[in-house]
Amino acid sequence: MSKTYSISELASEFDLTTRSIRFYEDQELLHPTRRGQTRVYSSKDRVRLKLTIRGKRLGFSLAEIRELFELWDETRSGSKKQLHLMLSKIGERRAALDQQMKDITMVQLELESAEIRCRQALEELHEKQNEEERAGATDQAASPSSAAMH
């Protein structure tokens, strides 16, 4: 008989909440059997959970993960169709990440430019303030105080 797992065992092993595991079940990624009210997960469910977590980490949606599982389930041993789909998804994900990297680089350049402009504006304000303070000090020194005139 193959090993089975409780929801709490899987949650502990994969550092997930039981709520997350139930959500994956609701999304038809896992198919536990029941013993009364208790969910019983098979080795296959454990592997699917591991693959789901890996797929999410790679940026795949749950619908994409489910689609890959469905292709696998059709043949029980995988298929060219599944592998081609996986390669296509990998290509799409790479393209999206490349675009994100370009976008991040652009935002960093824009932030750098904005920071330089802000620092220059602060420096100009500081210089203007210093000039005004010097001009005020010169004016005070040049004119006698009103108290001295009386």
Side-chain angles (χ1 to χ4, degrees), residues 3-37:
K3 180 155 174 50
T4 59
Y5 305 86
S6 70
I7 193 168
S8 57
E9 287 173 325
L10 291 178
S12 177
E13 179 178 351
F14 293 105
D15 195 27
L16 296 172
T17 63
T18 55
R19 184 176 180 183
S20 294
I21 294 173
R22 285 190 299 272
F23 177 74
Y24 294 147
E25 183 182 338
D26 291 342
Q27 297 299 306
E28 299 181 5
L29 297 170
L30 305 174
H31 305 287
T33 57
R34 299 258 183 189
R35 273 193 212 128
Q37 293 294 323

Side-chain angles (χ1 to χ4, degrees), residues 98-139:
D98 286 343
Q99 185 59 53
Q100 287 177 332
M101 286 172 48
K102 289 174 187 173
D103 293 345
I104 288 169
T105 299
M106 183 62 74
V107 170
Q108 286 177 323
L109 290 171
E110 290 175 8
L111 287 171
E112 186 177 326
S113 175
E115 181 181 23
I116 289 168
R117 288 192 310 272
C118 287
R119 291 188 188 285
Q120 288 172 340
L122 276 173
E123 184 62 31
E124 290 169 9
L125 286 172
H126 188 263
E127 288 174 12
K128 184 177 177 181
Q129 185 180 17
N130 286 344
E131 287 173 12
E132 289 172 356
E133 288 173 1
R134 283 193 296 270
T138 304
D139 289 345

